Amino acid sequence: MSRDTLPTDLPPNAGRAATGIAIVLVAQLMLVLDATVVNVALPRIDADLGFGPASLSWILNAYTLAFGGLLLLGGRLGDVFGRLKVFEAGLAVFTLGSALGGLAQSPGQLVAARTLQGVGAALAAPGVLALLTTSAPDEAARNRAFALFGAVSSGGASIGLLLGGLLTDVGSWRWTLFINVPIGIAVLLLAPRYVDETQRRPGRFDVVGAVTATFGAVSLVWALIGTPEHGWTSARTLGGFAVGVALLALLARTEVRHPHPMIQPRLVRNRTRVAALAAMALLIGANLSMFFLVVQYVQGVLGFGPLTAGAAFLPFSLGIFAMSRVTPQLLGRFGARTMVLTGSAALAGGYTWLSTIGTTDSYFAAVFGPMVIAGLATGLVFMPITATVLGGVEPEHAGAASGLLQTTQQLGSAVGVAAIVSVYASGAVPGQIVPGLQAAFLTSAAFAAAAVVVAAVALPARAPRPVQIVDEELEAVAAEAA
């Protein structure tokens, strides 16, 4: 190609903008994959630190609870102080938590470090889309940035499983946390040079809402995880549930009265939107539990190493990717209700199939088929649920609706994992893995079946039309959920 044919209409700051977008996307990938990167290392962590079957789930839940509970507050802090400043603060906290987690010598230290990671992620994540928007020099660049955001978010879970397996296999489970430290430091050093700050919008903070949402969910999860050891009617369990319900009731009261509520009350007064959020919480809780349970089976029964265990989830990830290519067309043709009903029923069938696993089964006989079904079904349901949640929302409330959806995903996964892993621990036989897994997979199937009921009763045949300004964000949020 001659010099005369080279494009000459690139903005003068195109190189800086492209670098800024790349830096923000690297941070987004780090935040997304951290939800799954430790999954395949769980058996090694348990052997090193001695967690136990039920409490092992706190390694996952400490991150997701802090992330989900503080996500909306993180978005509000970005509005007031600037997205870049809060993004940098969150990334610094996340990087510190990663370093402390890699150095942890006890279960309590590791759970505390994972909580710190979640706090950092809650501060950093809400600003990613805004920073991509401000970094892009024109509309075409912005659309490409959103597309890359969707690819990074949807691929993060799979990359996390494979990377976690590789690091654990060739080194130690500690490197699944240490790997974030040099990346986080590099992003912190480069971001101020290549990423522009956003406009500030001063206002008050809903601190009570953030605290009650986080600790209400923590209390419920704490009560659920303790049931195998203490029983459903123990003072510890009943007290935990009572505190959780009381805090969530205080949250509801606060949001109605606060001038700048963390959760817009009008968004949760819509029956269809609440049903879609409930279906999302049920399905993502079942899916994240499947990640935990399958890791136990393929490593504890089939004898897979960490890297092979990570690769075992590829059918699930590829199923999501394949289905996500056609879901926009299917949504326009069949509507959200039909897609959610079909996908949820398929997930219930896949998890019921997984409940039949035994000690003499092979991967392809017992796991491969259900994983393909689960991946295709997940890809089928998350886009219509996202469209239903964001549909009919005025442009000024689109960000709040998106944040509510992401918060539901995080807290739904934490509560779902806690409930299903408690069933796993209750049915476990010392020295055996399969008995507890069978009951747990049936519980996952029950979660998916409950989503079928919710969709049948409360979702309309056609989802409300999504607001135009978040078309790209709609696809990105759906990809991140998957």
Side-chain angles (χ1 to χ4, degrees), residues 2 129-130 148 157 177 196 212-213 373 386 417 430 448:
S2 68
L129 281 171
L148 288 171
L177 298 162
D196 294 327
T212 52
I373 292 173
T386 302
V417 168

Side-chain angles (χ1 to χ4, degrees), residues 31 42 83 136 147 149 195 237 281 307 369 438 446 454 458 462 465:
L31 298 177
L42 290 175
R83 296 288 184 184
F149 174 87
V195 181
T237 301
L307 179 57
Q438 291 173 335
V454 170
R462 297 281 172 177
R465 179 171 176 79

Side-chain angles (χ1 to χ4, degrees), residues 235-332:
R236 178 190 187 277
T237 301
L238 295 177
F241 284 132
V243 171
V245 170
L247 287 172
L248 294 180
L250 179 58
L251 168 66
R253 180 182 176 86
T254 301
E255 300 311 275
V256 171
R257 299 186 174 192
H258 200 282
H260 300 282
M262 189 179 68
I263 300 173
Q264 291 288 339
R266 65 178 308 281
L267 293 177
V268 293
R269 289 179 182 140
N270 182 291
R271 177 171 176 264
T272 298
R273 183 173 297 111
V274 170
L277 291 169
M280 175 65 82
L282 288 165
L283 294 174
I284 202 166
N287 271 358
L288 266 292
S289 303
M290 180 268 293
F291 276 42
F292 178 93
L293 298 171
V294 169
V295 164
Q296 308 306 311
Y297 180 73
V298 298
Q299 292 198 46
V301 177
L302 301 184
F304 285 15
L307 179 57
T308 312
F313 287 91
L314 284 177
F316 177 82
S317 301
L318 293 175
I320 291 176
F321 178 80
M323 185 58 70
S324 67
R325 302 305 95 187
V326 298
T327 47
Q329 292 79 15
L330 294 175
L331 181 60

Side-chain angles (χ1 to χ4, degrees), residues 36 38-47 51-60 161 288-306 308-310 312-313 354 357-359 363 367 371 417 420-425 428 431-438 440-441:
T36 59
V38 299
N39 268 272
V40 293
L42 290 175
R44 298 279 182 90
I45 296 173
D46 189 22
F51 268 86
S55 57
L56 192 63
S57 64
W58 274 113
I59 299 174
L60 308 178
L161 290 166
L288 266 292
S289 303
M290 180 268 293
F291 276 42
F292 178 93
L293 298 171
V294 169
V295 164
Q296 308 306 311
Y297 180 73
V298 298
Q299 292 198 46
V301 177
L302 301 184
F304 285 15
T308 312
F313 287 91
L354 276 172
I357 58 177
T359 56
Y363 170 77
V367 179
M371 293 282 275
V417 168
I420 294 169
V421 171
S422 293
V423 173
Y424 162 63
Q432 300 181 37
I433 294 176
V434 169
L437 288 179
Q438 291 173 335
F441 279 126

Side-chain angles (χ1 to χ4, degrees), residues 100-288:
L100 294 175
L103 296 170
Q105 299 298 315
S106 70
Q109 291 176 8
L110 182 54
V111 169
R114 290 286 287 169
T115 302
L116 196 61
Q117 282 186 300
V119 172
L123 295 175
V128 170
L129 281 171
L131 293 175
L132 289 177
T133 301
T134 57
S135 297
D138 53 39
E139 184 176 355
R142 184 163 54 252
N143 290 339
R144 287 193 297 272
F146 282 139
L148 288 171
F149 174 87
V152 165
S153 298
S154 60
S158 300
I159 294 172
L161 290 166
L162 291 171
L163 180 62
L166 177 63
L167 293 171
T168 305
D169 241 358
V170 302
S172 163
W173 64 264
R174 297 181 184 279
W175 283 102
T176 63
L177 298 162
F178 282 144
I179 190 66
N180 295 324
V181 177
I183 299 173
I185 291 173
V187 172
L188 286 170
L189 291 175
L190 294 172
R193 296 177 56 189
Y194 294 99
V195 181
D196 294 327
E197 183 58 279
T198 60
Q199 184 178 358
R200 300 181 182 185
R201 293 181 290 177
R204 292 176 58 189
F205 302 113
D206 182 12
V207 177
V208 174
V211 171
T212 52
T214 303
F215 285 100
V218 168
S219 183
L220 294 177
V221 169
W222 178 77
L224 282 168
I225 288 178
T227 55
E229 180 181 355
H230 301 280
W232 287 95
T233 58
S234 68
R236 178 190 187 277
T237 301
L238 295 177
F241 284 132
V243 171
V245 170
L247 287 172
L248 294 180
L250 179 58
L251 168 66
R253 180 182 176 86
T254 301
E255 300 311 275
V256 171
R257 299 186 174 192
H258 200 282
H260 300 282
M262 189 179 68
I263 300 173
Q264 291 288 339
R266 65 178 308 281
L267 293 177
V268 293
R269 289 179 182 140
N270 182 291
R271 177 171 176 264
T272 298
R273 183 173 297 111
V274 170
L277 291 169
M280 175 65 82
L282 288 165
L283 294 174
I284 202 166
N287 271 358
L288 266 292

